[in-house]
Amino acid sequence: MTPGETSRVVKRSAWIVPRTDFASGGLALVRLQHPLLPDFTSGFLSPDGLRLGPEVDLPGPLPESQDRVREKRFLIRLLGLASFLKSQGLGLAPRDLARIGSQPGQAERPFLGAPPRPEWQCASPALVVAAVALRLGGLLSTEAEPAALRRAIERALDRPIDPALAEVAISALRSEDADGRPENLLARLATGLDGAGSVLGPELLGLVYPGTFLSDEGFGRTQPAAACGPASLYLGRGALRRECGERSFVELPAGSSLREGSSLERAAALLRHDPLAETFSRAAASDGAMAPPAAGPPLALLACDADRWDPRSRRCWGETLPGGRDLLRFESRRLPAAPWERRDVISFHLGTAEVSALLWLPFPSVASAVSTWETVARSSGGDLAKFLVAVRRVASEFDPSRPGSRAARSSILAARRG
């Protein structure tokens, strides 16, 4: 370390979905993909609930730039996240709003300090954005219940506050009293922001991992179940995370393809205290067959880029793993397995109904949402990889200040014709 240089200590915390939230939809969190949510790769069941990993950085402070345009973009991003969570039966609890800060190193991006919770415990997206707007003005303390939060917001607005932040909070309260649709509030807040679409569109995109498959009766139990192609990780994660609540889950990345046993070594390190870690560790150091694993709690594993695993790791992973435990194995692969590698197939039907369940943006109306879903479904042709390309193109051209724009739809159709 050079003179005058200070080390930055990064504080982290674990997100836990409490067992008391399982029955009310709290586990939906692990099936969501959003730019403002952590990217979890494991979840271990404990008496307290599902402990997600890796641990999450604690948020930085709220923006202090006094740049109201930047602060407004911060609030629009937060409103987009809260709206997406609401669409999936989740939200942000009033007691957790004081823990919202900025993403470390990116002050314009909001960052949660606690996991989302089932919607019935939470404030509406409008109250969330009003409360954080007043926090930016230094006026609001934490409240435990939505009704108390609403009263606190109204009291705070009677005090001197920056007009731009007051306008956001008042617009949120009016939206709450009118149609209550956070999508309409988001469009109003974005109006007048220069270049809002190019900056904010991709950060409003919410995706859901697939959860219903064409043939899944017992797949992954006696032999691995594989998803193949450019969207294999997205599909494999859907199969893996559907099991949450019943078992722990872990994603296993590939090690070096040139060193025998390296992928099994990485798997053993990630599994740590699970009995299967010792089985993988021994197999990584041995040319012999994999020993039966010891008994353990229910577990689901996803071998990421399984066709890039080294030969020894692939051979041991593909063997039947008997033992006194409930174990599911899934794979994501670039290419299909060789004929002698027995695999179940993870397949998924992609139509308009499925697109509507997987894709979220703050559409201004049901009609505009249906139009986009149909366009994406047609341009994808049932291919999940094309679906992921299409939705990112839609998001890149989605302007929240002009949500009725059909530019994204025209872009998709032009790309399809080309």
Side-chain angles (χ1 to χ4, degrees):
M1 185 179 299
T2 59
E5 191 178 64
T6 58
S7 60
R8 177 176 177 264
V9 178
V10 179
K11 295 183 178 180
R12 303 174 69 86
S13 65
W15 278 20
I16 299 176
V17 180
R19 283 189 178 272
T20 52
D21 289 349
F22 284 12
S24 53
L27 289 170
L29 173 62
V30 302
R31 296 189 57 230
L32 305 184
Q33 184 183 102
H34 190 278
L36 302 180
L37 289 176
D39 186 19
F40 296 111
T41 57
S42 67
F44 287 96
L45 285 171
S46 69
D48 294 332
L50 185 69
R51 184 185 182 93
L52 301 174
E55 292 187 339
V56 180
D57 289 348
L58 294 181
L62 290 174
E64 297 179 353
S65 65
Q66 302 301 312
D67 183 336
R68 295 314 180 198
V69 172
R70 295 180 67 185
E71 289 179 343
K72 202 170 187 181
R73 286 177 174 168
F74 179 96
L75 293 170
I76 290 171
R77 290 181 174 102
L78 178 62
L79 178 58
L81 173 59
S83 304
F84 174 53
L85 294 173
K86 177 181 173 63
S87 75
Q88 302 301 315
L90 299 173
L92 304 177
R95 63 181 179 274
D96 293 332
L97 299 186
R99 302 170 68 179
I100 294 174
S102 62
Q103 184 169 331
Q106 299 189 60
E108 284 193 12
R109 305 185 76 204
F111 205 61
L112 304 184
R117 302 178 185 277
E119 187 179 0
W120 67 270
Q121 303 177 25
C122 299
S124 68
L127 291 184
V128 167
V129 77
V132 176
L134 294 176
R135 276 192 61 210
L136 286 168
L139 294 181
L140 195 69
S141 60
T142 304
E143 297 291 344
E145 302 294 334
L149 179 64
R150 168 77 188 236
R151 291 193 293 271
I153 292 170
E154 292 171 342
R155 289 195 300 270
L157 286 170
D158 290 333
R159 299 164 59 188
I161 183 175
D162 182 274
L165 295 176
E167 179 185 0
V168 171
I170 292 170
S171 295
L173 293 182
R174 287 174 176 169
S175 172
E176 181 85 351
D177 294 335
D179 55 24
R181 293 192 73 245
E183 296 84 357
N184 291 341
L185 173 61
L186 193 150
R188 285 196 291 273
L189 294 183
T191 300
L193 285 183
D194 222 11
S198 60
V199 173
L200 296 176
E203 296 190 63
L204 299 174
L205 173 64
L207 289 174
V208 181
Y209 290 113
T212 303
F213 306 94
L214 291 178
S215 176
D216 61 2
E217 186 174 351
F219 72 173
R221 293 186 179 276
T222 59
Q223 59 194 24
C228 301
S232 61
L233 181 60
Y234 178 68
L235 188 56
R237 280 182 164 180
L240 180 77
R241 296 170 189 229
R242 187 183 63 164
E243 303 297 329
C244 289
E246 301 296 328
R247 63 192 76 233
S248 301
F249 73 92
V250 185
E251 294 180 16
L252 309 176
S256 170
S257 60
L258 301 178
R259 186 164 61 84
E260 291 292 298
S262 64
S263 292
L264 289 179
E265 289 175 357
R266 294 191 70 176
L270 290 169
L271 289 165
R272 289 191 296 274
H273 305 300
D274 191 276
L276 193 57
E278 184 179 358
T279 300
F280 282 162
S281 183
R282 289 181 177 178
S286 170
D287 288 328
M290 182 179 290
L299 180 65
L301 302 175
L302 173 64
C304 303
D305 293 322
D307 46 347
R308 294 185 179 181
W309 283 31
D310 60 276
R312 181 185 299 173
S313 296
R314 286 205 310 269
R315 184 174 64 254
C316 293
W317 164 261
E319 292 178 4
T320 301
L321 295 174
R325 72 180 306 166
D326 186 357
L327 179 66
L328 297 180
R329 286 172 295 161
F330 304 104
E331 295 179 355
S332 67
R333 311 174 61 97
R334 295 168 302 160
L335 302 172
W340 57 86
E341 294 180 304
R342 297 183 60 194
R343 296 292 187 270
D344 297 324
V345 177
I346 305 176
S347 54
F348 179 74
H349 172 75
L350 182 67
T352 302
E354 288 74 23
V355 169
S356 71
L358 300 180
L359 162 65
W360 184 89
L361 278 168
F363 298 110
S365 67
V366 174
S368 62
V370 171
S371 175
T372 302
W373 296 333
E374 291 175 343
T375 302
V376 170
R378 286 196 301 271
S379 66
S380 302
D383 187 322
L384 267 179
K386 292 181 180 179
F387 162 78
L388 294 176
V389 171
V391 297
R392 287 183 171 84
R393 185 180 294 118
V394 168
S396 70
E397 301 204 8
F398 183 87
D399 188 341
S401 64
R402 296 185 298 110
S405 171
R406 305 175 67 87
R409 180 181 182 186
S410 300
S411 174
I412 291 177
L413 292 176
R416 186 186 178 196
R417 288 192 296 270

